[in-house]
Amino acid sequence: MNAKSLQSAFFASMADPQAFRLMFDQQPNVFFFVKDRESRLVAASEPMWTRLGLEGEANVIGRLDEDFYPEQAAKSYRADDALVFRTGKPLINRLEVWYDEQRTLTWFLTTKVPLRGKNGKIIGLMGLTRRDEGRSGHQPSSEVTLIVSHIQKNTCRILSTAELARECGLSERTLYRKVHQALGITPYELMLRIRIESAAEALIQTRDKVIDIATAHGFCDQSAFTQHFRKRIGMTPKQFRMRHQG
């Protein structure tokens, strides 16, 4: 019996085809989920449904992202699902907002891979969401880690792509390629998201005026800050502060 046949025979003999899911229930910082072709949740690990504030997996099944997340965040998740369904290719380490321990939206990495039925057609996807904590072999390259670190140290101002590339010892073209390959977004979008994450933290932890937080994070005025914040977090800075402070 060759290796492939041995593997196939073993998995076919399993009494419970979902047995592997039990592993994810033991990983507190890894959130596992499965969706059908309509992007309805059909499975979720215990850490995931607990993070969503639910009392059991049954409360997840059949639900959509719109039931749990702000509108813009849910649209982003669904767009990624559609891309996986359309192309049949996985999305690896997509940088997106998700809930942390305090149910505050912050940045996580999500991987989604297509699931195929017995006829070979895509019937859904499974995914993992996790923090970028440097423990996985699929982490962004050391150059991307350096890029993110440099942006985080300069959230008070707008960095140009040229300046960021120069500080990290890369050409602009290489900077773009490495960030896009690792995180699925452009360097400009990465800089915006990190500044917004820092601003969101300030909204929760301080009583500074929104305009002061906006200018302290490189936004020209409160209107521009609100526009970018709402697009990526799904609510205005004021709504975000009220939800997480009150």
Side-chain angles (χ1 to χ4, degrees), residues 21-28 47:
R21 292 181 49 209
L22 298 176
M23 290 293 296
F24 295 108
D25 288 340
Q26 310 307 316
Q27 306 298 318

Side-chain angles (χ1 to χ4, degrees), residues 131-212:
R131 281 189 181 276
D132 179 10
E133 296 177 323
R135 292 193 294 262
S136 169
H138 297 288
Q139 290 295 325
S141 66
S142 58
E143 290 95 340
V144 174
T145 301
L146 177 63
I147 291 166
V148 171
S149 177
H150 186 74
I151 297 171
Q152 289 173 332
K153 293 175 182 177
N154 291 274
T155 55
C156 61
R157 63 190 183 92
I158 300 174
L159 291 169
S160 69
T161 303
E163 179 183 357
L164 181 60
R166 184 172 61 253
E167 291 291 336
C168 296
L170 302 170
S171 68
E172 289 187 62
R173 171 180 264 182
T174 300
L175 173 74
Y176 182 95
R177 176 172 56 81
K178 287 187 176 293
V179 170
H180 195 268
Q181 284 180 343
L183 304 174
I185 56 176
T186 66
Y188 172 77
E189 178 65 18
L190 176 63
M191 288 186 277
L192 263 177
R193 292 188 184 191
I194 290 176
R195 284 162 51 212
I196 287 172
E197 178 185 13
S198 178
E201 184 176 354
L203 286 166
I204 296 173
Q205 297 184 355
T206 76
R207 294 187 177 276
D208 295 348
K209 294 180 180 179
V210 174
I211 180 59
D212 292 337

